[in-house]
Amino acid sequence: MTISLNVRRRMDGLLPAILRAFIHRGNLNLTMPAGTTFNLGDGSGKPITAGLTTAAAVRGILLDPELHLGECYMDGTLVMEEGTILDLLDLLLHQERDKMLPHWARPQWVMRYLWRRLQQLNYRTRARENVAHHYDLDERLYSLFLDSDRQYSCAYFEAPQQSLDDAQLAKKRHLAAKLILRPGKHVLDIGCGWGGLAIYLAQFCDAQVTGITLSEEQLRRARERVSETDLSRKIRFYLRDYRDARGPMDRIVSVGMFEHVGIGFYDHYFRKCADLLAGDGVMLLSSIGRSEGPNVTSPWIAKYIFPGGYIPALSEVMPSIERAGLLVTDIEILRLHYAETLSAWRTRFLAHAKDLRPIYDERFLRMWEFYLDASEVAFREQAMMVMQIQLTKRQGIVPMTRGYIEREEHRMRKLDNVPQSPLRIAGE
Protein backbone atom coordinates (compact mmCIF):
# COMPACT_ATOMS: atom_id res chain seq x y z
CA MET A 1 0.00 0.00 0.00
CA THR A 2 2.84 2.36 0.90
CA ILE A 3 4.66 1.54 -2.36
CA SER A 4 1.51 2.16 -4.38
CA LEU A 5 0.95 5.49 -2.63
CA ASN A 6 4.55 6.56 -3.21
CA VAL A 7 4.30 5.68 -6.92
CA ARG A 8 1.10 7.70 -7.20
CA ARG A 9 2.72 10.68 -5.48
CA ARG A 10 5.70 10.52 -7.82
CA MET A 11 3.36 10.44 -10.82
CA ASP A 12 1.35 13.29 -9.35
CA GLY A 13 4.53 15.33 -9.24
CA LEU A 14 5.87 14.30 -12.64
CA LEU A 15 3.04 15.71 -14.76
CA PRO A 16 3.17 19.21 -13.20
CA ALA A 17 6.97 19.20 -13.56
CA ILE A 18 6.63 18.55 -17.28
CA LEU A 19 3.85 21.11 -17.63
CA ARG A 20 5.94 23.79 -15.91
CA ALA A 21 8.50 23.52 -18.71
CA PHE A 22 5.72 24.16 -21.21
CA ILE A 23 3.29 26.54 -19.50
CA HIS A 24 4.84 29.97 -18.97
CA ARG A 25 1.76 32.17 -19.21
CA GLY A 26 -1.66 32.02 -17.60
CA ASN A 27 -3.03 30.89 -14.26
CA LEU A 28 -3.77 27.18 -14.07
CA ASN A 29 -4.46 25.32 -10.84
CA LEU A 30 -4.18 21.58 -11.39
CA THR A 31 -5.50 19.14 -8.79
CA MET A 32 -4.08 15.62 -8.89
CA PRO A 33 -5.81 12.36 -7.88
CA ALA A 34 -4.03 12.29 -4.51
CA GLY A 35 -5.46 15.74 -3.73
CA THR A 36 -2.33 17.82 -4.21
CA THR A 37 -2.75 21.07 -6.16
CA PHE A 38 -0.14 22.76 -8.33
CA ASN A 39 -0.19 26.27 -9.75
CA LEU A 40 1.16 26.64 -13.27
CA GLY A 41 1.89 29.76 -15.32
CA ASP A 42 2.81 33.32 -14.38
CA GLY A 43 -0.50 34.13 -12.70
CA SER A 44 -1.78 36.30 -15.52
CA GLY A 45 -5.32 36.14 -16.88
CA LYS A 46 -8.41 34.47 -15.51
CA PRO A 47 -7.81 31.61 -13.06
CA ILE A 48 -8.54 28.13 -14.37
CA THR A 49 -8.89 25.13 -12.09
CA ALA A 50 -8.90 21.60 -13.45
CA GLY A 51 -8.74 18.27 -11.70
CA LEU A 52 -7.57 14.81 -12.75
CA THR A 53 -9.47 12.19 -10.78
CA THR A 54 -7.65 8.92 -11.56
CA ALA A 55 -4.10 7.65 -11.85
CA ALA A 56 -5.00 6.24 -15.28
CA ALA A 57 -5.84 9.76 -16.46
CA VAL A 58 -2.44 11.01 -15.30
CA ARG A 59 -0.63 8.10 -17.00
CA GLY A 60 -2.51 8.65 -20.22
CA ILE A 61 -1.70 12.35 -20.42
CA LEU A 62 1.93 11.65 -19.58
CA LEU A 63 2.23 9.04 -22.34
CA ASP A 64 0.19 10.74 -25.07
CA PRO A 65 -1.34 14.11 -24.18
CA GLU A 66 -2.67 14.76 -27.70
CA LEU A 67 -4.85 11.68 -27.49
CA HIS A 68 -5.64 11.33 -23.82
CA LEU A 69 -6.43 14.90 -22.83
CA GLY A 70 -9.58 14.74 -24.96
CA GLU A 71 -10.37 11.21 -23.78
CA CYS A 72 -10.09 12.27 -20.16
CA TYR A 73 -12.55 15.10 -20.74
CA MET A 74 -14.93 12.71 -22.53
CA ASP A 75 -14.69 10.15 -19.70
CA GLY A 76 -15.11 12.73 -16.94
CA THR A 77 -11.68 12.05 -15.43
CA LEU A 78 -10.64 15.59 -16.37
CA VAL A 79 -12.98 17.89 -14.45
CA MET A 80 -13.21 21.63 -15.01
CA GLU A 81 -13.80 23.20 -11.58
CA GLU A 82 -13.24 26.85 -12.57
CA GLY A 83 -13.37 27.93 -16.18
CA THR A 84 -14.28 25.77 -19.17
CA ILE A 85 -12.47 23.26 -21.36
CA LEU A 86 -12.26 26.05 -23.94
CA ASP A 87 -10.37 28.17 -21.40
CA LEU A 88 -7.97 25.31 -20.68
CA LEU A 89 -7.30 24.61 -24.35
CA ASP A 90 -6.80 28.31 -25.03
CA LEU A 91 -4.23 28.48 -22.22
CA LEU A 92 -2.38 25.39 -23.48
CA LEU A 93 -2.24 26.47 -27.13
CA HIS A 94 -1.49 30.12 -26.34
CA GLN A 95 1.93 29.37 -24.89
CA GLU A 96 4.98 30.81 -26.60
CA ARG A 97 6.97 28.02 -28.19
CA ASP A 98 9.54 27.53 -30.88
CA LYS A 99 8.87 25.50 -34.00
CA MET A 100 10.50 22.38 -32.57
CA LEU A 101 8.70 19.85 -30.43
CA PRO A 102 10.13 19.07 -26.97
CA HIS A 103 12.78 16.38 -27.31
CA TRP A 104 10.69 13.84 -25.41
CA ALA A 105 7.77 14.26 -27.84
CA ARG A 106 9.72 14.02 -31.10
CA PRO A 107 9.94 10.19 -31.46
CA GLN A 108 6.15 9.93 -31.10
CA TRP A 109 5.62 12.64 -33.73
CA VAL A 110 8.08 10.94 -36.13
CA MET A 111 6.25 7.63 -35.81
CA ARG A 112 2.92 9.31 -36.53
CA TYR A 113 4.40 11.14 -39.50
CA LEU A 114 5.73 7.91 -40.98
CA TRP A 115 2.43 6.15 -40.27
CA ARG A 116 0.14 8.85 -41.68
CA ARG A 117 -0.09 7.52 -45.24
CA LEU A 118 -1.35 4.17 -43.99
CA GLN A 119 -3.93 5.93 -41.84
CA GLN A 120 -5.10 7.84 -44.90
CA LEU A 121 -5.46 4.93 -47.34
CA ASN A 122 -8.89 6.20 -48.33
CA TYR A 123 -9.90 3.80 -51.06
CA ARG A 124 -13.58 3.77 -52.00
CA THR A 125 -14.90 1.45 -49.27
CA ARG A 126 -12.83 3.01 -46.54
CA ALA A 127 -13.65 6.54 -47.71
CA ARG A 128 -17.36 5.79 -47.43
CA GLU A 129 -16.91 4.29 -43.94
CA ASN A 130 -14.97 7.37 -42.83
CA VAL A 131 -17.67 9.70 -44.12
CA ALA A 132 -20.44 7.67 -42.48
CA HIS A 133 -18.60 7.87 -39.13
CA HIS A 134 -19.02 11.63 -39.02
CA TYR A 135 -21.74 12.72 -41.43
CA ASP A 136 -24.33 9.97 -41.04
CA LEU A 137 -25.12 10.89 -37.44
CA ASP A 138 -28.62 11.84 -36.35
CA GLU A 139 -29.58 14.89 -38.40
CA ARG A 140 -30.89 16.63 -35.27
CA LEU A 141 -27.29 17.07 -34.12
CA TYR A 142 -26.38 19.23 -37.11
CA SER A 143 -29.67 21.10 -37.17
CA LEU A 144 -29.05 22.37 -33.65
CA PHE A 145 -25.74 24.14 -34.21
CA LEU A 146 -25.39 24.85 -37.95
CA ASP A 147 -27.04 27.74 -39.78
CA SER A 148 -30.44 27.35 -41.40
CA ASP A 149 -28.82 26.14 -44.66
CA ARG A 150 -26.64 23.57 -42.86
CA GLN A 151 -23.37 24.90 -44.18
CA TYR A 152 -20.74 22.74 -42.45
CA SER A 153 -17.67 24.67 -43.62
CA CYS A 154 -15.97 27.99 -42.97
CA ALA A 155 -18.26 31.02 -43.19
CA TYR A 156 -17.13 34.32 -44.74
CA PHE A 157 -17.49 37.19 -42.26
CA GLU A 158 -17.68 40.43 -44.21
CA ALA A 159 -18.06 42.52 -41.05
CA PRO A 160 -17.62 42.16 -37.27
CA GLN A 161 -20.69 40.83 -35.46
CA GLN A 162 -22.20 39.49 -38.69
CA SER A 163 -24.64 36.67 -37.97
CA LEU A 164 -23.68 33.11 -38.83
CA ASP A 165 -26.50 32.82 -41.37
CA ASP A 166 -25.43 36.00 -43.16
CA ALA A 167 -21.76 34.95 -43.10
CA GLN A 168 -22.61 31.56 -44.59
CA LEU A 169 -24.64 33.25 -47.31
CA ALA A 170 -21.67 35.54 -47.98
CA LYS A 171 -19.48 32.42 -48.28
CA LYS A 172 -21.71 30.96 -50.99
CA ARG A 173 -21.76 34.30 -52.78
CA HIS A 174 -17.95 34.54 -52.58
CA LEU A 175 -17.50 31.04 -54.00
CA ALA A 176 -20.00 31.64 -56.79
CA ALA A 177 -18.23 34.87 -57.78
CA LYS A 178 -14.91 33.02 -58.17
CA LEU A 179 -16.55 30.39 -60.37
CA ILE A 180 -17.49 33.10 -62.91
CA LEU A 181 -20.77 31.40 -63.70
CA ARG A 182 -23.03 32.12 -66.64
CA PRO A 183 -26.55 30.75 -67.15
CA GLY A 184 -26.62 27.10 -68.16
CA LYS A 185 -23.07 26.25 -67.07
CA HIS A 186 -22.75 22.75 -65.60
CA VAL A 187 -21.18 22.64 -62.14
CA LEU A 188 -19.86 19.56 -60.34
CA ASP A 189 -20.04 20.00 -56.55
CA ILE A 190 -17.65 17.44 -55.02
CA GLY A 191 -18.73 16.83 -51.44
CA CYS A 192 -22.06 18.61 -51.75
CA GLY A 193 -23.12 18.19 -48.13
CA TRP A 194 -26.80 18.88 -47.55
CA GLY A 195 -27.06 20.66 -50.90
CA GLY A 196 -27.01 24.30 -49.84
CA LEU A 197 -24.32 25.51 -52.23
CA ALA A 198 -25.81 23.57 -55.16
CA ILE A 199 -29.21 25.13 -54.54
CA TYR A 200 -27.65 28.59 -54.34
CA LEU A 201 -25.78 28.16 -57.65
CA ALA A 202 -28.89 26.89 -59.40
CA GLN A 203 -31.16 29.55 -57.95
CA PHE A 204 -29.04 32.68 -58.25
CA CYS A 205 -26.60 31.77 -61.03
CA ASP A 206 -28.97 29.73 -63.21
CA ALA A 207 -26.45 26.86 -63.24
CA GLN A 208 -26.99 23.17 -63.82
CA VAL A 209 -25.51 21.40 -60.79
CA THR A 210 -24.48 17.82 -60.11
CA GLY A 211 -23.71 17.23 -56.45
CA ILE A 212 -21.94 14.11 -55.19
CA THR A 213 -21.46 12.89 -51.64
CA LEU A 214 -20.57 9.68 -49.79
CA SER A 215 -23.02 10.39 -46.97
CA GLU A 216 -26.38 8.67 -47.27
CA GLU A 217 -27.93 11.07 -44.75
CA GLN A 218 -26.70 14.13 -46.62
CA LEU A 219 -27.90 12.70 -49.92
CA ARG A 220 -31.36 12.00 -48.53
CA ARG A 221 -31.75 15.49 -47.09
CA ALA A 222 -30.29 17.21 -50.18
CA ARG A 223 -32.78 15.44 -52.43
CA GLU A 224 -35.63 16.31 -50.08
CA ARG A 225 -34.66 19.96 -50.19
CA VAL A 226 -34.59 20.08 -53.98
CA SER A 227 -37.96 18.35 -54.17
CA GLU A 228 -39.40 21.19 -52.11
CA THR A 229 -38.28 23.79 -54.70
CA ASP A 230 -38.83 24.39 -58.41
CA LEU A 231 -35.16 23.60 -59.13
CA SER A 232 -35.44 19.84 -59.69
CA ARG A 233 -34.67 20.25 -63.42
CA LYS A 234 -31.39 22.00 -62.59
CA ILE A 235 -29.98 19.88 -59.76
CA ARG A 236 -29.06 16.22 -59.41
CA PHE A 237 -27.52 14.60 -56.33
CA TYR A 238 -25.75 11.23 -56.30
CA LEU A 239 -24.11 8.92 -53.79
CA ARG A 240 -20.82 8.80 -55.66
CA ASP A 241 -17.08 8.82 -55.04
CA TYR A 242 -15.16 11.61 -56.76
CA ARG A 243 -13.16 8.93 -58.56
CA ASP A 244 -16.36 7.83 -60.30
CA ALA A 245 -17.59 11.30 -61.29
CA ARG A 246 -18.43 11.90 -64.93
CA GLY A 247 -17.64 14.86 -67.14
CA PRO A 248 -16.99 17.08 -68.86
CA MET A 249 -17.90 19.89 -66.47
CA ASP A 250 -17.80 23.63 -67.06
CA ARG A 251 -17.09 24.27 -63.40
CA ILE A 252 -15.94 22.20 -60.44
CA VAL A 253 -16.29 23.32 -56.84
CA SER A 254 -15.24 21.44 -53.74
CA VAL A 255 -15.70 22.91 -50.27
CA GLY A 256 -14.54 21.14 -47.10
CA MET A 257 -14.10 17.79 -48.82
CA PHE A 258 -10.40 17.77 -49.73
CA GLU A 259 -9.48 17.18 -46.07
CA HIS A 260 -10.90 13.65 -46.49
CA VAL A 261 -8.96 12.71 -49.64
CA GLY A 262 -5.77 11.49 -47.97
CA ILE A 263 -2.28 12.65 -48.79
CA GLY A 264 -1.48 9.60 -50.91
CA PHE A 265 -4.38 10.40 -53.26
CA TYR A 266 -3.67 14.05 -54.06
CA ASP A 267 -2.20 13.29 -57.49
CA HIS A 268 -5.17 11.11 -58.39
CA TYR A 269 -7.65 13.71 -57.13
CA PHE A 270 -6.29 16.58 -59.22
CA ARG A 271 -5.74 14.44 -62.30
CA LYS A 272 -9.35 13.30 -62.06
CA CYS A 273 -10.49 16.92 -61.73
CA ALA A 274 -8.36 17.88 -64.75
CA ASP A 275 -9.97 15.09 -66.77
CA LEU A 276 -13.46 16.22 -65.74
CA LEU A 277 -12.89 19.94 -66.35
CA ALA A 278 -13.73 21.38 -69.77
CA GLY A 279 -10.97 23.20 -71.67
CA ASP A 280 -12.42 26.61 -70.76
CA GLY A 281 -13.54 25.48 -67.31
CA VAL A 282 -12.81 26.84 -63.85
CA MET A 283 -12.29 24.86 -60.65
CA LEU A 284 -12.42 26.21 -57.11
CA LEU A 285 -11.02 24.22 -54.20
CA SER A 286 -11.75 25.41 -50.66
CA SER A 287 -9.98 23.44 -47.94
CA ILE A 288 -8.63 23.82 -44.46
CA GLY A 289 -4.85 24.14 -44.58
CA ARG A 290 -1.85 24.65 -42.35
CA SER A 291 0.73 27.42 -42.73
CA GLU A 292 3.71 25.79 -41.00
CA GLY A 293 4.39 22.92 -43.37
CA PRO A 294 3.52 19.20 -43.35
CA ASN A 295 2.39 17.67 -40.09
CA VAL A 296 0.17 14.90 -38.73
CA THR A 297 -3.49 14.64 -37.84
CA SER A 298 -4.27 14.93 -34.15
CA PRO A 299 -4.62 11.34 -32.90
CA TRP A 300 -7.77 12.31 -30.97
CA ILE A 301 -9.35 13.86 -34.08
CA ALA A 302 -8.37 10.82 -36.18
CA LYS A 303 -9.86 8.38 -33.67
CA TYR A 304 -13.09 10.11 -32.77
CA ILE A 305 -13.99 12.78 -35.33
CA PHE A 306 -12.43 12.43 -38.79
CA PRO A 307 -10.86 9.00 -39.39
CA GLY A 308 -8.68 9.10 -42.48
CA GLY A 309 -8.67 12.91 -42.45
CA TYR A 310 -5.70 15.24 -42.85
CA ILE A 311 -5.26 19.01 -43.08
CA PRO A 312 -2.60 19.66 -45.73
CA ALA A 313 0.03 22.33 -46.00
CA LEU A 314 -0.10 24.41 -49.15
CA SER A 315 3.31 22.98 -50.03
CA GLU A 316 1.78 19.48 -50.10
CA VAL A 317 -1.05 20.51 -52.43
CA MET A 318 0.77 22.57 -55.06
CA PRO A 319 3.03 19.81 -56.48
CA SER A 320 -0.01 17.63 -57.22
CA ILE A 321 -1.78 20.53 -58.92
CA GLU A 322 1.28 21.11 -61.10
CA ARG A 323 1.63 17.43 -61.99
CA ALA A 324 -2.02 17.35 -63.04
CA GLY A 325 -1.38 20.11 -65.57
CA LEU A 326 -3.70 22.61 -63.88
CA LEU A 327 -2.90 26.33 -63.68
CA VAL A 328 -3.32 28.25 -60.45
CA THR A 329 -5.11 31.50 -61.23
CA ASP A 330 -5.89 32.70 -57.70
CA ILE A 331 -5.13 31.76 -54.11
CA GLU A 332 -6.89 33.39 -51.17
CA ILE A 333 -6.10 32.63 -47.53
CA LEU A 334 -8.88 33.08 -44.98
CA ARG A 335 -7.44 33.22 -41.50
CA LEU A 336 -9.77 33.94 -38.58
CA HIS A 337 -13.01 33.28 -40.43
CA TYR A 338 -13.10 29.67 -39.31
CA ALA A 339 -12.40 30.62 -35.69
CA GLU A 340 -15.48 32.85 -35.77
CA THR A 341 -17.50 30.12 -37.48
CA LEU A 342 -16.52 27.57 -34.84
CA SER A 343 -17.27 30.03 -32.06
CA ALA A 344 -20.81 30.40 -33.38
CA TRP A 345 -21.18 26.63 -33.72
CA ARG A 346 -19.89 26.04 -30.18
CA THR A 347 -22.23 28.64 -28.69
CA ARG A 348 -25.22 27.08 -30.44
CA PHE A 349 -24.16 23.54 -29.55
CA LEU A 350 -23.83 24.29 -25.84
CA ALA A 351 -27.12 26.20 -25.83
CA HIS A 352 -28.97 23.20 -27.30
CA ALA A 353 -26.98 20.32 -25.80
CA LYS A 354 -29.91 19.48 -23.50
CA ASP A 355 -32.03 18.73 -26.58
CA LEU A 356 -29.52 16.07 -27.64
CA ARG A 357 -29.49 14.13 -24.36
CA PRO A 358 -32.39 11.87 -25.39
CA ILE A 359 -30.31 10.93 -28.47
CA TYR A 360 -26.69 10.85 -27.28
CA ASP A 361 -25.01 10.19 -23.92
CA GLU A 362 -22.89 12.63 -21.95
CA ARG A 363 -19.64 11.17 -23.23
CA PHE A 364 -20.67 11.86 -26.83
CA LEU A 365 -21.74 15.41 -25.99
CA ARG A 366 -18.45 16.10 -24.19
CA MET A 367 -16.63 14.67 -27.23
CA TRP A 368 -18.36 17.15 -29.55
CA GLU A 369 -17.79 20.03 -27.16
CA PHE A 370 -14.07 19.19 -27.05
CA TYR A 371 -13.95 18.90 -30.85
CA LEU A 372 -15.54 22.32 -31.42
CA ASP A 373 -13.47 23.98 -28.69
CA ALA A 374 -10.15 22.49 -29.79
CA SER A 375 -10.84 23.39 -33.42
CA GLU A 376 -11.70 27.00 -32.58
CA VAL A 377 -8.56 27.45 -30.48
CA ALA A 378 -6.41 25.87 -33.21
CA PHE A 379 -7.62 28.47 -35.72
CA ARG A 380 -7.08 31.32 -33.26
CA GLU A 381 -3.73 30.33 -31.82
CA GLN A 382 -2.03 28.04 -34.34
CA ALA A 383 -1.21 28.12 -38.02
CA MET A 384 -4.58 26.89 -39.32
CA MET A 385 -6.32 28.66 -42.18
CA VAL A 386 -8.63 28.08 -45.14
CA MET A 387 -7.16 28.14 -48.63
CA GLN A 388 -9.28 28.83 -51.68
CA ILE A 389 -7.45 27.84 -54.85
CA GLN A 390 -8.84 28.73 -58.27
CA LEU A 391 -7.66 26.55 -61.15
CA THR A 392 -7.97 26.42 -64.94
CA LYS A 393 -6.46 24.33 -67.73
CA ARG A 394 -5.12 27.22 -69.78
CA GLN A 395 -4.46 30.94 -69.71
CA GLY A 396 -7.05 33.60 -70.51
CA ILE A 397 -10.04 31.93 -68.80
CA VAL A 398 -10.08 34.16 -65.72
CA PRO A 399 -9.97 38.00 -65.81
CA MET A 400 -6.53 39.53 -65.29
CA THR A 401 -7.51 41.42 -62.13
CA ARG A 402 -9.57 40.37 -59.12
CA GLY A 403 -12.15 43.13 -59.40
CA TYR A 404 -14.60 40.73 -61.01
CA ILE A 405 -15.03 38.95 -57.67
CA GLU A 406 -16.37 42.03 -55.92
CA ARG A 407 -18.53 42.96 -58.90
CA GLU A 408 -20.08 39.49 -58.99
CA GLU A 409 -20.68 39.56 -55.24
CA HIS A 410 -22.39 42.93 -55.59
CA ARG A 411 -24.60 41.60 -58.38
CA MET A 412 -25.61 38.48 -56.47
CA ARG A 413 -26.18 40.42 -53.27
CA LYS A 414 -29.01 42.19 -55.05
CA LEU A 415 -30.45 38.82 -56.03
CA ASP A 416 -30.28 37.14 -52.65
CA ASN A 417 -31.65 40.29 -50.95
CA VAL A 418 -28.98 40.78 -48.31
CA PRO A 419 -27.68 44.37 -48.01
CA GLN A 420 -23.92 44.89 -48.14
CA SER A 421 -22.33 45.30 -44.74
CA PRO A 422 -20.85 48.75 -44.13
CA LEU A 423 -17.44 47.45 -43.04
CA ARG A 424 -15.24 44.79 -44.63
CA ILE A 425 -12.28 43.28 -42.85
CA ALA A 426 -9.28 44.03 -45.03
CA GLY A 427 -7.50 40.91 -46.18
CA GLU A 428 -10.00 38.56 -44.50
Side-chain angles (χ1 to χ4, degrees), residues 175-176 178-179 181-182 184-193 195-199 201-202 205-214 219 234-258 268-278 281-286 326 389 391:
L175 295 168
K178 292 184 177 183
L179 287 170
L181 281 168
R182 298 293 179 265
K185 292 293 185 182
H186 198 165
V187 182
L188 174 64
D189 184 356
I190 302 177
C192 61
L197 178 60
I199 292 172
L201 297 178
C205 303
D206 196 18
Q208 300 285 327
V209 187
T210 296
I212 60 174
T213 177
L214 290 179
L219 177 69
K234 295 183 176 181
I235 305 174
R236 294 288 185 272
F237 291 115
Y238 298 99
L239 190 71
R240 186 172 294 167
D241 193 286
Y242 72 90
R243 286 162 282 213
D244 301 319
R246 304 161 189 169
M249 292 290 174
D250 300 307
R251 302 290 186 267
I252 299 175
V253 64
S254 184
V255 183
M257 174 270 177
F258 189 71
H268 187 92
Y269 175 84
F270 286 111
R271 284 173 180 153
K272 179 64 177 180
C273 289
D275 289 341
L276 292 170
L277 193 63
V282 177
M283 176 179 174
L284 184 62
L285 175 73
S286 181
L326 293 166
I389 308 175
L391 303 164

Side-chain angles (χ1 to χ4, degrees), residues 349-364:
F349 178 83
L350 292 177
H352 296 289
K354 62 182 183 297
D355 299 317
L356 291 169
R357 288 191 172 91
I359 311 169
Y360 293 111
D361 62 18
E362 289 296 324
R363 188 174 189 268
F364 180 91

